Amino acid sequence: MKKSFWIALDLCADPPPRFLIAISAVMMLVFLPFQMAFVDGSIARTSLAHVMPPLRHTLSAHGAWPGILAVALAQGTVFSRRQRRELEPLLCAPVSARDIVTGYALPSLALCLAGPAVMFPVTMLGYRVLGGAFPPEPMHELAMSGLLVLTAGAWVTAAGIHAALGARHVQSMLLRTALGYPPLVLIDCLVVALRALGWGALVVPLLLVALGAGVALLSCVARTLDRERLLHRV
Amino acid sequence: MLAIETTGLTWHPREDPHRRVLDGVTMQVAWGSVVALVGRNGSGKTTLLRVLATLLPPRAGCARVAGEDVATAPQRVRAAIGLLTEEAGLPDRATPLWHLRFHALLRGATWETSRRLALETLASLGLERVAREPMAALSRGTRQRVAVGRAIVCDPPVLLLDEPDATLDEEIAAIVRAYLKRRALAGRAVLLATHDPIWAGRYCDEALAMSDGRIVSREGS
């Protein structure tokens, strides 16, 4: 685990382009929270509240933004390192495949968790400023969002790391990563549906199962990491 | 126990079993010696180093590094080697200090020790002034020096060098050669692939000539 942490730190030593950080900050801290607070808060005060599920239930889709961005950045870095033969020194260092995959997944997963933690207070502020209907249990919402985003992050990260390590071309890397999104959308829809139908108690077990599957997927990516294939698929 | 020992080592691409890049290589490198692999491009030198570094699995035969089998105990082999790759393989935005520190950390050094090791290694290669510069700002020769530093940062028992002479200027090449000699005297082993007859003849204890994936001649003690 320690070595994974060093690998994650090394990945972070390759800072992303500034414009991506700026776009991400604006999306997370201004656009998404206020848009959500305004739309959700306004709907909650109208008759539409009975037919439309609260927008905050899809917070994962919003909160996943930094996670998805982190996956994209990690992917870009890993893929370009592979192309420039910069992975060789890492591959012949005394680290296991699990260390490598965990190391590359850690920054994405950390950002998946940090996303809602940063966005949520701003969203709450947005509800207050825009006079929307305040979510009845904010801490519960925050915890649920964290779990939801982490689950989604595990799926997308697994697909992203697998694609970055295995694909020959950028196009096929992006296509393979896209395979991580349908399960994410499915989980999101299921959560929204369960809560809208009043079966909220089932959401946590569902998310825990999905999170377990995401972690299993990451472990599967580690098991299939092949140093020879990595060297030759350049 | 020998530092490196191969018996009938064979390697071919997965998709083309008939193209023997290594064809029954049998060789030994004793502790305390510097051995050169010489040969034309495509003779199998880099592939041999890659198999010994556990980057490629042997298809037949066996190879042991520091007493450990590359096929069955790759992790222990990796802990015993330092590899200088043909390409420097350095990330553009990282600094030499962090890069060496990172590799020291992967080899089990503590946070504080890794810093000391990295700074000492950079100083020994005359790189103190660029320690905190991004790698992208360094010249090709300087980057190659950093790559040498990465291979030697934790003083591994076995050093595998692929074309160490490729981009080094004479001054730093002399430092590296002196370092290799010191290592050999300290009982460590070095196997290097080179085109340069000066490296092979004057600074190595033995030179193994490779052609078409085979060792075709041996010179030296």
Side-chain angles (χ1 to χ4, degrees), chain A residues 78-91:
Chain A
V78 174
F79 191 74
S80 60
R81 281 186 180 187
R82 236 187 75 205
Q83 295 293 80
R84 294 195 301 252
R85 293 202 172 276
E86 289 169 11
L87 279 188
E88 277 182 54
L90 177 63
L91 295 177

Side-chain angles (χ1 to χ4, degrees), chain A residues 39-40 42-44 46-57 192 196:
Chain A
V39 177
D40 192 24
S42 307
I43 289 173
T46 66
S47 53
L48 283 175
H50 301 292
V51 284
M52 279 187 72
L55 199 62
R56 61 181 171 274
H57 291 182
V192 172

Side-chain angles (χ1 to χ4, degrees), chain A residues 39-118:
Chain A
V39 177
D40 192 24
S42 307
I43 289 173
R45 283 179 297 163
T46 66
S47 53
L48 283 175
H50 301 292
V51 284
M52 279 187 72
L55 199 62
R56 61 181 171 274
H57 291 182
T58 61
L59 190 65
S60 66
H62 298 79
W65 172 253
I68 288 165
L69 185 78
V71 170
L73 292 174
Q75 259 195 322
T77 309
V78 174
F79 191 74
S80 60
R81 281 186 180 187
R82 236 187 75 205
Q83 295 293 80
R84 294 195 301 252
R85 293 202 172 276
E86 289 169 11
L87 279 188
E88 277 182 54
L90 177 63
L91 295 177
C92 65
V95 289
S96 64
R98 186 180 288 266
D99 287 330
I100 295 173
V101 170
T102 311
Y104 283 146
L106 273 178
S108 314
L109 294 178
L111 269 174
C112 282
L113 274 180
V118 171

